[in-house]
Amino acid sequence: MGNTNDALLKEAIEVYLTSLKYLDNFVSEPAKAYGLSFEQYLILHTIATREKVSLMDIANERQVTRSAISRQIKVLLNHDYIYQEPAQSDRRRLYLHLSDEGQEVEKKVTDIVAARFDDWINDYGAERARDIIDFIKDFANRKMGDLNKLSE
C-alpha cells in the first residue's frame, strides 16, 4: 500500500473509531430510553405510519429473514408497545398494531430523532447533508455489490 493509502486508511480507522460510533449513538440513543434498539424503533415507526403491516411485510422490505424481524417483534410485544391481530380474510396472517403506549413511545422517539436531524441540517445545510447521504448510498451499493459477487 502506498503512503497516501496508508495515511487515508489510518484516517478512516480514526473516523470509524470516533465519529461513526458517535453517529450510531446519536441516532440510537433516544430509543434506548425506552428499552429499544434503533431497529426496534424503526419497526414501531413503520407500524405507526402504515395500515395492515405484517411481520413478513417488514422482513421483505428490509431484505432480512423472517426470524430476524420476529426477534425484534418479540421485544416490542414484551414491552406491550404492539399487539397482533389476525387478518379477517386469512386468520394465519397477523397484522401489527401499536398499543397506546407504543404510540406514545413512537411519537416521543420520532420527535427527538427529527429534532436531532433538524439540528444536523441547520449545522451543515441541506446540500451537504444530501451529499453525505448520497455518498453513503453509493458506497453501500458498490460495496454490497462487491460482497454479493464474492459470495456467489
Side-chain angles (χ1 to χ4, degrees):
M1 195 180 301
N3 286 340
T4 301
N5 288 352
D6 285 343
L8 282 173
L9 176 59
K10 286 179 184 176
E11 191 173 349
I13 291 169
E14 184 63 28
V15 165
Y16 173 76
L17 291 173
T18 57
S19 303
L20 291 180
K21 284 185 181 179
Y22 167 75
L23 184 59
D24 179 49
N25 288 337
F26 178 83
V27 170
S28 64
E29 185 267 334
K32 285 182 186 174
Y34 299 95
L36 300 175
S37 69
F38 193 65
E39 282 293 322
Q40 292 157 353
Y41 156 71
L42 290 176
I43 292 170
L44 268 187
H45 187 68
T46 297
I47 296 167
T49 57
R50 302 242 318 267
E51 287 186 37
K52 295 188 177 183
V53 64
S54 71
L55 182 151
M56 282 306 297
D57 296 331
I58 295 170
N60 290 338
E61 289 167 13
R62 303 223 172 137
Q63 299 178 358
V64 297
T65 64
R66 182 183 187 280
S67 62
I69 296 299
S70 183
R71 286 188 296 273
Q72 306 296 339
I73 295 291
K74 185 175 180 180
V75 172
L76 298 172
L77 288 166
N78 288 340
H79 281 295
D80 294 323
Y81 292 156
I82 66 170
Y83 62 94
Q84 298 179 55
E85 187 174 67
Q88 291 193 356
S89 60
D90 180 355
R91 308 286 297 162
R92 295 170 298 173
R93 184 172 172 91
L94 297 173
Y95 289 123
L96 304 169
H97 302 279
L98 296 183
S99 66
D100 290 342
E101 187 175 3
Q103 288 176 22
E104 186 178 320
V105 167
E106 188 279 333
K107 181 170 180 2
K108 286 179 180 178
V109 175
T110 296
D111 289 348
I112 293 168
V113 168
R116 286 178 171 208
F117 188 74
D118 287 346
D119 285 345
W120 188 50
I121 298 299
N122 290 336
D123 287 346
Y124 296 102
E127 186 176 333
R128 190 161 183 206
R130 168 55 50 206
D131 289 343
I132 292 167
I133 291 167
D134 288 345
F135 170 77
I136 292 169
K137 282 179 170 178
D138 181 57
F139 180 83
N141 287 336
R142 288 181 190 210
K143 294 302 136 189
M144 291 309 293
D146 290 348
L147 289 174
N148 289 336
K149 287 178 192 173
L150 290 174
S151 66
E152 291 175 351

